[in-house]
Amino acid sequence: MKKVLFFRKKIKTIVNGKSNKFLIITGPCSIHNYISCKKYYKFLKKETPKYKNLFIIMRFYLEKPRTTVGWKGFVYDPDLNNSFNYKKGIYYSKFLLKKMYNTIPLGTEFLSPYIFDVIKKYFCFGAIGARTAESQLHREMAAKVNYCVGFKNALNGEFVFINSLIAVKQPSVCVNYCVKSNKANLIKTKGNFNCLSILRGGNFPNYKINNIIELIYKQIKNKINKGIIIDLSHGNSIKKYNNQIFCFNYVIKIILFFPQLSGVMIESHLKSGVGNLNSVNKSITDSCISIKNTKKIIKNINLIMHKRKSYY
């Protein structure tokens, strides 16, 4: 557990502008089997020590938010056959987390408040997605943890997370469920001052200079954390995995001029594209870039961050 606390502290220093390191949150769109998860984990464990200017977090998404319907994630349906053996899903999710969380930093998107209470202790970074960024319940979830949580813009691109970032800083009272005692109780939270903005695109990409300047203005006006993470996928890539590289090529040109840019998120898998339910080395949800292209992105960001150190 000491290692996780160390990871959380390091991320806080980056998000709050007290470190020159840059966050890379990379990994599969969603975890869907044990083998590919372990392979990707080994890849990051080997690569991470090579890059002194970066802090690399493995994307470990166990739940899958849906605009309409679809597979809900490993924790709900680990057998991918609509059997919904959630007990097996929770067991193997925790099994994987326990093996990994003390060796490399892990990040996830918090979706269900029930699953959140079971897995929150294993993570050092959390995200609140585009569909839940305004949710009162998810604000409370972000306030309950003592680590960084990023709020994404809405599906249409609007910065609806501004109100959430204002609210989550304030002390509040919310219901907490204790897994061990199987009881619910009221708790008081001091507020989470380590939450930040994630630009994930919407109807149009929003990683350009004008979007970043608009967000910085709103952050200053509302006195919220100035950290910004660019999601290279989703609306910013127009859901075409190779566009993540084009998005990255733009972002890397402006990193030097915006110290507010704390990191990027990458949807990456062992092989590029998207496969079927039987695929092991490919994503079965959103299409991802390959490990080969992920390495290129990480290497280039590490080089540019070495230059940024001399700027600020």
Side-chain angles (χ1 to χ4, degrees):
M1 199 66 189
K2 286 183 180 178
K3 203 72 180 286
V4 174
L5 296 176
F6 170 77
F7 291 153
R8 292 174 182 174
K9 188 175 180 180
K10 290 292 288 183
I11 295 168
K12 286 177 187 177
T13 62
I14 296 168
V15 166
N16 290 297
K18 296 176 182 178
S19 168
N20 280 318
K21 287 184 180 286
F22 195 75
L23 294 175
I24 305 285
I25 303 164
T26 182
C29 171
S30 52
I31 301 299
H32 77 278
N33 72 56
Y34 176 85
I35 297 169
S36 62
C37 179
K38 197 170 180 181
K39 283 182 180 178
Y40 201 94
Y41 158 75
K42 286 181 177 179
F43 156 66
L44 280 189
K45 191 178 178 185
K46 180 182 175 183
E47 289 296 308
T48 297
K50 298 177 184 178
Y51 306 106
K52 303 301 180 184
N53 301 313
L54 306 176
F55 191 87
I56 301 174
I57 302 169
M58 180 174 170
R59 207 185 135 96
F60 205 97
Y61 283 33
L62 295 164
E63 302 174 87
K64 182 66 184 171
R66 293 294 187 179
T67 303
T68 52
V69 294
W71 182 64
K72 292 182 69 176
F74 185 77
V75 75
Y76 293 101
D77 188 18
D79 296 318
L80 305 168
N81 60 4
N82 290 327
S83 61
F84 298 105
N85 190 346
Y86 72 95
K87 289 184 179 179
K88 180 179 177 181
I90 291 172
Y91 174 83
Y92 278 105
S93 295
K94 289 178 73 174
F95 178 78
L96 283 167
L97 287 167
K98 286 176 182 178
K99 276 186 170 293
M100 299 176 186
Y101 83 114
N102 256 327
T103 52
I104 65 169
L106 302 176
T108 195
E109 179 176 327
F110 295 127
L111 194 57
S112 163
Y114 308 110
I115 302 300
F116 165 80
D117 282 321
V118 175
I119 64 174
K120 63 186 178 184
K121 70 177 182 180
Y122 299 107
F123 293 98
C124 57
F125 182 88
I128 304 297
R131 299 162 187 81
T132 50
E134 289 184 282
S135 160
Q136 179 71 32
L137 191 60
H138 289 79
R139 290 177 184 178
E140 291 178 359
M141 289 159 70
K144 283 181 185 179
V145 296
N146 64 343
Y147 47 88
C148 294
V149 178
F151 282 76
K152 291 190 175 185
N153 60 259
L155 289 173
N156 63 3
E158 291 183 12
F159 296 164
V160 296
F161 52 69
I162 296 293
N163 287 335
S164 293
L165 291 173
I166 294 169
V168 79
K169 291 196 306 177
Q170 309 304 319
S172 64
V173 176
C174 54
V175 175
N176 185 63
Y177 171 68
C178 179
V179 178
K180 285 186 178 180
S181 65
N182 195 29
K183 291 182 180 179
N185 59 296
L186 283 178
I187 61 165
K188 293 182 179 180
T189 66
K190 295 179 180 179
N192 190 340
F193 289 84
N194 299 293
C195 293
L196 70 159
S197 311
I198 301 176
L199 296 179
R200 51 88 70 200
N203 295 333
F204 303 96
N206 62 3
Y207 60 86
K208 300 290 180 73
I209 287 178
N210 60 305
N211 307 119
I212 294 169
I213 290 174
E214 180 188 356
L215 177 54
I216 291 171
Y217 168 76
K218 292 191 175 190
Q219 287 174 329
I220 294 170
K221 180 182 177 183
N222 292 286
K223 298 179 181 179
I224 56 177
N225 194 301
K226 297 180 181 64
I228 300 171
I229 288 176
I230 304 290
D231 181 350
L232 301 181
S233 188
H234 301 104
N236 279 332
S237 66
I238 321 174
K239 293 196 174 181
K240 295 179 180 178
Y241 70 93
N242 273 332
N243 284 348
Q244 289 190 76
I245 298 168
F246 298 132
C247 180
F248 162 74
N249 288 336
Y250 180 90
V251 171
I252 200 169
K253 292 175 184 175
I254 62 173
I255 282 177
L256 289 176
F257 310 109
F258 290 99
Q260 295 90 346
L261 290 180
S262 304
V264 294
M265 301 182 86
I266 308 166
E267 286 199 313
S268 158
H269 216 294
L270 303 172
K271 291 185 179 180
S272 62
V274 63
N276 56 39
L277 292 180
N278 296 317
S279 299
V280 174
N281 295 329
K282 283 188 176 185
S283 172
I284 65 166
T285 44
D286 290 352
S287 56
C288 297
I289 62 170
S290 65
I291 275 180
K292 183 179 178 182
N293 283 326
T294 304
K295 279 185 182 180
K296 289 179 183 177
I297 287 177
I298 292 173
K299 185 177 179 181
N300 287 332
I301 291 182
N302 188 61
L303 289 172
I304 202 74
M305 284 306 296
H306 181 71
K307 293 181 181 178
R308 190 163 90 161
K309 282 183 177 181
S310 63
Y311 273 65
Y312 304 102

